[in-house]
């Protein structure tokens, strides 16, 4: 039914859907940040922790919904895999790079060191699990259990940070608890609905040019499902709430691996092989894409350690690396 209406609308109609969904993403990000920061102030929880949990969960829901649909309905595991790899690359290369260009991201390295180590560890673990071409239920359950352990440790042993609330307006009146929760819930809903509509129309447009499903997942789908992170982080950068921005991105990448791929793998095993460019009838494992994802996670260590900030020069490096990767991806498609 949805495909029928997409064909009926044609290219102009699908472009209009993209524009409408972009507005949903923007307002969803605004309300999610407002509700999340308000909850942080109310319970004296650092915005960084809120970014790693409430905001990360809300902005990771589009990846889960799209990957779940692609796997169980479209029977396209390569879109699911490409979506997560591409989203994690986009989160660091495009979104963090762009956020740093807008306003340098100030953060104590000690406050993100453990999260970065955990992100790199689960990325390597996913690579080990996936290298045989499948992600089975046992491996999926391990990833999901790691997510619960990570959240428990985060709330029980939050790292100390000297700049917890320095960039949050402490004079703004607090909303009622129900209003804050409603903003978080409504923001997450708008983000998911906006990203879903954006991705569905993006896939329809891309398929008119006979682009491979892995490439669609790595590029258009990944960008579409990362739009919530983009909107959230850009708004946070404009408000100079840099802790929330980087916490959101690190948390989203962790959630993408543990919650999205782990959850879907637990429901039903995933096949992670994609057609070869040289011989489409042959399936191969996307080693290069995994290595690039790991590289973007690893580069955060020297960037954040240097002067305890990710400045505009580092942002340019991240953004430039992202553009080079996707330029090669387009060139080879």
């Amino acid at each position: 039914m949805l495909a029928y209406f997409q064909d009926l609308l044609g290219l102009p109609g699908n472009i209009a859907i993209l524009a409408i969904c972009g507005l949903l993403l923007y307002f969803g990000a605004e309300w999610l940040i407002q509700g999340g920061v308000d909850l942080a102030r109310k319970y004296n929880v650092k915005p960084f922790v809120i970014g790693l949990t409430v905001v990360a969960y809300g902005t990771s829901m589009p990846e889960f919904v799209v990957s779940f649909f692609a796997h169980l309905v479209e029977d396209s595991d390569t879109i699911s895999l490409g979506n997560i790899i591409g989203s994690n690359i986009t989160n660091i290369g495009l979104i963090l790079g762009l956020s740093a260009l807008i306003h340098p991201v100030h953060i104590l390295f000690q406050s993100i060191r453990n999260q970065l180590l955990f992100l790199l560890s689960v990325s390597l673990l996913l690579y080990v699990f996936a290298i045989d071409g499948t992600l089975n239920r046992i491996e999926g359950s391990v990833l999901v259990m790691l997510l619960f352990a990570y959240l428990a440790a985060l709330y029980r042993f939050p790292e100390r940070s000297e700049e917890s609330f320095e960039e949050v307006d402490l004079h703004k009146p607090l909303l009622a608890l129900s209003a804050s929760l409603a903003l978080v819930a409504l923001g997450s809903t708008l983000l998911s609905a906006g990203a879903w509509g954006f991705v569905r129309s993006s896939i329809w447009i891309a398929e008119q040019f006979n682009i491979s499903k892995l490439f669609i997942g790595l590029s258009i789908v990944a960008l579409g499902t990362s739009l919530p992170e983009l909107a959230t982080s850009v708004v946070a950068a404009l408000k100079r709430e840099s802790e929330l921005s980087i916490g959101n991105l690190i948390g989203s990448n962790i959630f993408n691996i543990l919650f999205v791929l782990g959850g879907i793998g637990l429901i039903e095993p995933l096949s992670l092989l994609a057609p070869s460019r040289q011989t489409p009838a042959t399936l191969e494992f996307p080693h290069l894409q995994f290595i690039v994802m790991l590289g973007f996670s690893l580069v955060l260590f020297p960037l954040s350690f240097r002067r305890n900030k990710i400045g505009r020069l580092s942002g340019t490096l991240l953004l430039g690396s992202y553009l080079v990767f996707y330029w090669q991806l387009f060139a080879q498609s």
Side-chain angles (χ1 to χ4, degrees):
M1 181 66 70
L2 180 59
Y4 169 77
F5 281 110
Q6 285 182 311
D7 291 336
L8 186 64
L9 289 172
L11 183 60
N14 280 276
I15 292 176
I17 291 176
L18 295 180
I20 294 171
C21 290
L23 291 176
L24 294 179
L25 292 169
Y26 173 78
F27 287 110
E30 274 281 295
W31 293 339
L32 192 57
I33 286 181
Q34 184 180 347
V37 172
D38 199 69
L39 286 172
R41 292 176 55 204
K42 190 182 300 293
Y43 293 102
N44 201 32
V45 178
K46 293 183 292 186
F48 175 72
V49 177
I50 293 294
L52 279 168
T53 54
V54 177
V55 178
Y57 172 80
T59 54
S60 288
M61 279 305 295
E63 280 90 346
F64 181 83
V65 173
V66 170
S67 296
F68 183 85
F69 180 86
H71 174 53
L72 293 182
V73 180
E74 297 285 349
D75 194 25
S76 179
D77 294 347
T78 52
I79 288 182
S80 301
L81 177 64
N83 179 24
I84 300 309
I85 294 177
S87 292
N88 282 14
I89 292 172
T90 299
N91 284 348
I92 297 175
L94 173 63
I95 299 174
L96 183 56
L98 185 59
S99 297
L101 284 176
I102 294 173
H103 182 263
V105 179
H106 295 272
I107 186 75
L108 288 177
F109 177 73
Q110 291 81 359
S111 68
I112 64 171
R113 177 185 57 200
N114 290 343
Q115 281 72 30
L116 286 178
L117 286 172
F118 189 73
L119 172 59
L120 184 61
S121 298
V122 297
S123 298
L124 286 169
L125 181 63
L126 175 64
Y127 186 48
V128 171
F129 281 168
I131 203 168
D132 63 350
T134 60
L135 185 69
N136 58 43
R137 287 191 175 93
I138 295 177
E139 294 164 340
S141 65
V142 170
L143 295 178
V144 171
M145 286 189 292
L146 282 174
L147 175 62
F148 285 119
Y150 164 71
L151 292 177
L154 182 65
Y155 278 112
R156 189 174 179 182
F157 305 109
E159 287 80 8
R160 294 184 178 181
S161 173
E162 296 178 358
E163 54 182 28
S164 297
F165 290 98
E166 287 182 2
E167 299 178 3
V168 176
D169 184 4
L170 298 177
H171 302 290
K172 186 177 180 180
L174 286 172
L175 298 172
L177 177 61
S178 58
S180 299
L181 292 173
L183 280 174
V184 171
L186 184 57
S188 299
T189 301
L190 289 181
L191 286 169
S192 298
W196 177 248
F198 185 95
V199 168
R200 286 302 307 162
S201 291
S202 296
I203 291 177
W204 183 90
I205 293 171
E207 286 180 342
Q208 308 309 305
F209 298 94
N210 296 318
I211 301 174
S212 71
K213 289 185 177 180
L214 178 63
F215 179 79
I216 291 174
L218 283 166
S219 55
I220 296 176
V221 176
L223 180 61
T225 55
S226 291
L227 282 176
E229 285 90 342
L230 177 60
T232 302
S233 297
V234 168
V235 170
L238 291 172
K239 292 182 176 181
R240 300 191 174 186
E241 294 169 357
S242 59
E243 265 198 291
L244 185 60
S245 174
I246 193 169
N248 168 45
L249 294 178
I250 296 173
S252 291
N253 280 15
I254 292 172
F255 269 65
N256 284 346
I257 293 172
L258 301 182
F259 171 60
V260 180
L261 283 183
I264 294 175
L266 180 60
I267 295 170
E268 184 174 308
L270 278 161
S271 173
L272 305 178
L273 299 178
S276 170
R277 284 192 176 92
Q278 290 75 22
T279 54
T282 303
L283 298 178
E284 62 180 20
F285 185 76
H287 290 281
L288 176 61
Q289 288 76 15
F290 262 99
I291 292 172
V292 172
M293 182 185 72
L294 289 169
F296 271 98
S297 299
L298 187 61
V299 78
L300 288 179
F301 284 92
L303 290 183
S304 59
F305 182 77
R306 180 179 176 270
R307 299 171 57 191
N308 288 324
K309 75 173 184 179
I310 300 177
R312 290 188 171 90
L313 180 60
S314 299
T316 302
L317 174 64
L318 288 172
L319 190 58
S321 300
Y322 170 84
L323 293 176
V324 168
F325 171 70
Y326 278 95
W327 174 77
Q328 291 183 335
L329 201 63
F330 272 101
Q332 296 174 4
S333 63

